[in-house]
Amino acid sequence: MNAELDATIGPILQVYADRHGVILSPCDGDEPGVQMNLYRWVKGLGLVPRLIGNVKGLQDPYRTPATSAGSPRSGDRIPRW
């Protein structure tokens, strides 16, 4: 469930959850829930997860060593190549 759907019908679903004595949790639509599901999936493959986190703000598909050269001087993230 995403935030828009939760905002639209979340209160209605909560009423049904209360009637049936269950907990309504949209955690899979939020980053912590998605990260934990990914962690469990990777562990299920027999692998050892080394890092879990949100890197949306760090990922730049067009970044190269040349475009990152000024980063340490500007106080931006330090490139490690």
Side-chain angles (χ1 to χ4, degrees), residues 5-79:
L5 185 61
D6 189 21
T8 304
I9 65 167
I12 297 168
L13 293 176
Q14 185 62 52
V15 169
Y16 283 101
D18 291 341
R19 284 183 191 166
H20 291 83
V22 297
I23 297 172
L24 173 66
S25 175
C27 71
D28 195 46
D30 197 10
E31 288 176 26
V34 172
Q35 289 174 5
M36 285 308 298
N37 280 341
L38 180 59
Y39 174 83
R40 285 189 213 98
W41 179 70
V42 170
K43 291 280 290 183
L45 293 174
L47 303 172
V48 179
R50 299 290 183 194
L51 176 70
I52 297 174
N54 177 353
V55 295
K56 287 187 298 195
L58 300 174
Q59 182 180 4
D60 181 357
Y62 305 106
R63 191 169 208 167
T64 66
T67 62
S68 299
S71 294
R73 288 186 294 278
S74 68
D76 195 3
R77 295 170 187 91
I78 298 172

